[in-house]
CSV table of all heavy atoms in Angstrom, one decimal:
chain,number,residue,atom,x,y,z
A,169,ARG,N,59.4,-6.4,32.7
A,169,ARG,CA,58.1,-6.6,32.7
A,169,ARG,C,57.2,-5.5,32.7
A,169,ARG,O,56.3,-5.4,31.9
A,169,ARG,CB,57.8,-7.5,34.0
A,169,ARG,CG,56.2,-8.0,34.0
A,169,ARG,CD,55.9,-8.7,35.3
A,169,ARG,NE,56.5,-10.0,35.3
A,169,ARG,CZ,57.4,-10.3,36.2
A,169,ARG,NH1,57.7,-9.4,37.2
A,169,ARG,NH2,58.0,-11.5,36.3
A,170,ARG,N,57.7,-4.4,33.4
A,170,ARG,CA,57.0,-3.2,33.4
A,170,ARG,C,57.1,-2.5,32.0
A,170,ARG,O,56.0,-2.0,31.4
A,170,ARG,CB,57.5,-2.3,34.4
A,170,ARG,CG,57.0,-2.6,35.8
A,170,ARG,CD,57.4,-1.3,36.9
A,170,ARG,NE,58.7,-1.1,36.9
A,170,ARG,CZ,59.6,-1.6,37.7
A,170,ARG,NH1,59.1,-2.6,38.6
A,170,ARG,NH2,60.7,-1.4,37.8
A,171,VAL,N,58.2,-2.7,31.3
A,171,VAL,CA,58.3,-2.2,30.0
A,171,VAL,C,57.5,-2.8,29.0
A,171,VAL,O,56.8,-2.2,28.2
A,171,VAL,CB,59.8,-2.2,29.6
A,171,VAL,CG1,60.0,-1.7,28.1
A,171,VAL,CG2,60.7,-1.3,30.4
A,172,ILE,N,57.5,-4.1,29.2
A,172,ILE,CA,56.5,-5.1,28.3
A,172,ILE,C,55.1,-4.6,28.5
A,172,ILE,O,54.3,-4.5,27.5
A,172,ILE,CB,56.9,-6.5,28.6
A,172,ILE,CG1,58.3,-6.8,28.2
A,172,ILE,CG2,55.8,-7.3,27.8
A,172,ILE,CD1,58.6,-8.3,28.5
A,173,ILE,N,54.7,-4.4,29.9
A,173,ILE,CA,53.3,-4.2,30.1
A,173,ILE,C,53.0,-2.7,29.5
A,173,ILE,O,51.9,-2.6,28.8
A,173,ILE,CB,53.0,-4.1,31.6
A,173,ILE,CG1,53.0,-5.6,32.1
A,173,ILE,CG2,51.7,-3.6,31.8
A,173,ILE,CD1,53.0,-5.7,33.6
A,174,ILE,N,53.8,-1.8,29.6
A,174,ILE,CA,53.6,-0.4,29.1
A,174,ILE,C,53.5,-0.5,27.6
A,174,ILE,O,52.5,0.1,27.0
A,174,ILE,CB,54.7,0.6,29.6
A,174,ILE,CG1,54.7,0.8,31.1
A,174,ILE,CG2,54.4,1.8,28.8
A,174,ILE,CD1,55.6,1.6,31.7
A,175,ALA,N,54.4,-1.2,27.0
A,175,ALA,CA,54.5,-1.2,25.5
A,175,ALA,C,53.2,-2.0,25.1
A,175,ALA,O,52.5,-1.6,24.0
A,175,ALA,CB,55.7,-1.9,25.1
A,176,ALA,N,52.9,-3.0,25.8
A,176,ALA,CA,51.6,-3.8,25.4
A,176,ALA,C,50.3,-2.9,25.5
A,176,ALA,O,49.4,-3.0,24.7
A,176,ALA,CB,51.6,-5.2,26.1
A,177,SER,N,50.3,-2.2,26.6
A,177,SER,CA,49.2,-1.4,26.8
A,177,SER,C,49.0,-0.3,25.8
A,177,SER,O,47.9,0.0,25.3
A,177,SER,CB,49.3,-0.7,28.2
A,177,SER,OG,49.3,-1.7,29.2
A,178,LEU,N,50.2,0.4,25.5
A,178,LEU,CA,50.1,1.4,24.4
A,178,LEU,C,49.7,0.8,23.0
A,178,LEU,O,48.9,1.3,22.3
A,178,LEU,CB,51.5,2.0,24.3
A,178,LEU,CG,51.9,2.9,25.5
A,178,LEU,CD1,53.3,3.5,25.3
A,178,LEU,CD2,51.0,4.1,25.6
A,179,THR,N,50.2,-0.5,22.8
A,179,THR,CA,49.9,-1.1,21.5
A,179,THR,C,48.3,-1.4,21.5
A,179,THR,O,47.7,-1.2,20.5
A,179,THR,CB,50.7,-2.3,21.5
A,179,THR,OG1,52.2,-2.0,21.4
A,179,THR,CG2,50.4,-3.2,20.1
A,180,ALA,N,47.9,-1.9,22.7
A,180,ALA,CA,46.5,-2.3,22.8
A,180,ALA,C,45.6,-1.2,22.6
A,180,ALA,O,44.5,-1.1,21.8
A,180,ALA,CB,46.2,-3.0,24.2
A,181,LEU,N,46.0,0.0,23.2
A,181,LEU,CA,45.2,1.2,23.0
A,181,LEU,C,45.1,1.8,21.6
A,181,LEU,O,44.1,2.1,21.0
A,181,LEU,CB,45.8,2.5,23.9
A,181,LEU,CG,45.5,2.2,25.4
A,181,LEU,CD1,46.2,3.3,26.2
A,181,LEU,CD2,44.0,2.2,25.8
A,182,ILE,N,46.2,1.7,21.0
A,182,ILE,CA,46.3,2.1,19.6
A,182,ILE,C,45.6,1.1,18.7
A,182,ILE,O,44.8,1.6,17.8
A,182,ILE,CB,47.8,2.2,19.1
A,182,ILE,CG1,48.7,3.3,19.8
A,182,ILE,CG2,47.8,2.5,17.5
A,182,ILE,CD1,50.1,3.3,19.5
A,183,ALA,N,45.7,-0.2,19.0
A,183,ALA,CA,45.0,-1.2,18.2
A,183,ALA,C,43.5,-1.0,18.5
A,183,ALA,O,42.7,-1.1,17.5
A,183,ALA,CB,45.4,-2.5,18.6
A,184,LEU,N,43.0,-0.8,19.7
A,184,LEU,CA,41.6,-0.6,20.0
A,184,LEU,C,41.1,0.6,19.4
A,184,LEU,O,39.9,0.6,18.9
A,184,LEU,CB,41.4,-0.5,21.5
A,184,LEU,CG,41.6,-1.8,22.3
A,184,LEU,CD1,41.5,-1.6,23.8
A,184,LEU,CD2,40.6,-3.0,21.8
A,185,PHE,N,41.8,1.7,19.3
A,185,PHE,CA,41.4,2.9,18.5
A,185,PHE,C,41.2,2.6,17.2
A,185,PHE,O,40.3,3.1,16.5
A,185,PHE,CB,42.4,4.1,18.9
A,185,PHE,CG,42.1,5.3,18.1
A,185,PHE,CD1,41.1,6.2,18.6
A,185,PHE,CD2,42.7,5.6,17.0
A,185,PHE,CE1,40.6,7.4,18.0
A,185,PHE,CE2,42.4,6.7,16.2
A,185,PHE,CZ,41.3,7.7,16.8
A,186,ILE,N,42.3,2.0,16.6
A,186,ILE,CA,42.2,1.7,15.1
A,186,ILE,C,40.9,0.8,14.9
A,186,ILE,O,40.2,0.8,13.9
A,186,ILE,CB,43.5,1.0,14.7
A,186,ILE,CG1,44.6,2.1,14.7
A,186,ILE,CG2,43.3,0.5,13.2
A,186,ILE,CD1,46.0,1.5,14.4
A,187,GLY,N,40.8,-0.3,15.9
A,187,GLY,CA,39.6,-1.2,15.7
A,187,GLY,C,38.4,-0.5,15.7
A,187,GLY,O,37.3,-0.8,15.0
A,188,TYR,N,38.3,0.5,16.6
A,188,TYR,CA,37.0,1.4,16.8
A,188,TYR,C,36.7,2.1,15.4
A,188,TYR,O,35.5,2.1,15.1
A,188,TYR,CB,37.2,2.3,18.0
A,188,TYR,CG,35.9,3.3,18.3
A,188,TYR,CD1,35.0,2.7,19.0
A,188,TYR,CD2,35.8,4.4,17.6
A,188,TYR,CE1,33.9,3.6,19.3
A,188,TYR,CE2,34.7,5.2,17.9
A,188,TYR,CZ,33.8,4.8,18.7
A,188,TYR,OH,32.6,5.7,18.9
A,189,TRP,N,37.8,2.7,15.0
A,189,TRP,CA,37.6,3.3,13.7
A,189,TRP,C,37.1,2.4,12.6
A,189,TRP,O,36.4,2.7,11.8
A,189,TRP,CB,38.8,4.1,13.4
A,189,TRP,CG,38.8,4.9,12.0
A,189,TRP,CD1,38.2,6.1,11.9
A,189,TRP,CD2,39.4,4.5,10.8
A,189,TRP,NE1,38.3,6.4,10.6
A,189,TRP,CE2,39.0,5.5,9.9
A,189,TRP,CE3,40.0,3.3,10.4
A,189,TRP,CZ2,39.2,5.4,8.4
A,189,TRP,CZ3,40.3,3.2,9.1
A,189,TRP,CH2,40.0,4.3,8.1
A,190,LEU,N,37.8,1.3,12.5
A,190,LEU,CA,37.5,0.3,11.5
A,190,LEU,C,36.1,-0.1,11.7
A,190,LEU,O,35.2,-0.3,10.7
A,190,LEU,CB,38.4,-0.9,11.4
A,190,LEU,CG,39.8,-0.5,10.9
A,190,LEU,CD1,40.7,-1.8,11.2
A,190,LEU,CD2,39.8,-0.2,9.5
A,191,ALA,N,35.7,-0.5,12.9
A,191,ALA,CA,34.3,-1.0,13.2
A,191,ALA,C,33.2,0.2,12.8
A,191,ALA,O,32.2,-0.2,12.3
A,191,ALA,CB,34.2,-1.4,14.7
A,192,MET,N,33.6,1.4,13.2
A,192,MET,CA,32.6,2.4,12.8
A,192,MET,C,32.6,2.6,11.3
A,192,MET,O,31.5,2.9,10.8
A,192,MET,CB,33.2,3.8,13.6
A,192,MET,CG,32.8,3.8,15.1
A,192,MET,SD,31.1,3.7,15.5
A,192,MET,CE,30.5,5.3,14.8
A,193,SER,N,33.7,2.5,10.6
A,193,SER,CA,33.6,2.6,9.1
A,193,SER,C,32.9,1.5,8.4
A,193,SER,O,32.3,1.8,7.4
A,193,SER,CB,35.1,2.6,8.6
A,193,SER,OG,35.6,1.2,8.8
A,194,PHE,N,32.6,0.5,9.2
A,194,PHE,CA,31.7,-0.6,8.7
A,194,PHE,C,30.4,-0.4,9.2
A,194,PHE,O,29.3,-0.6,8.4
A,194,PHE,CB,32.2,-2.1,9.0
A,194,PHE,CG,33.4,-2.5,8.1
A,194,PHE,CD1,34.7,-2.3,8.5
A,194,PHE,CD2,33.0,-3.0,7.0
A,194,PHE,CE1,35.7,-2.8,7.8
A,194,PHE,CE2,34.0,-3.4,6.1
A,194,PHE,CZ,35.5,-3.2,6.5
Side-chain angles (χ1 to χ4, degrees):
R169 185 182 293 117
R170 287 194 295 272
V171 171
I172 293 172
I173 292 174
I174 293 173
S177 299
L178 291 175
T179 303
L181 288 176
I182 295 172
L184 290 175
F185 177 77
I186 295 174
Y188 182 89
W189 179 80
L190 289 174
M192 285 297 293
S193 66
F194 282 97

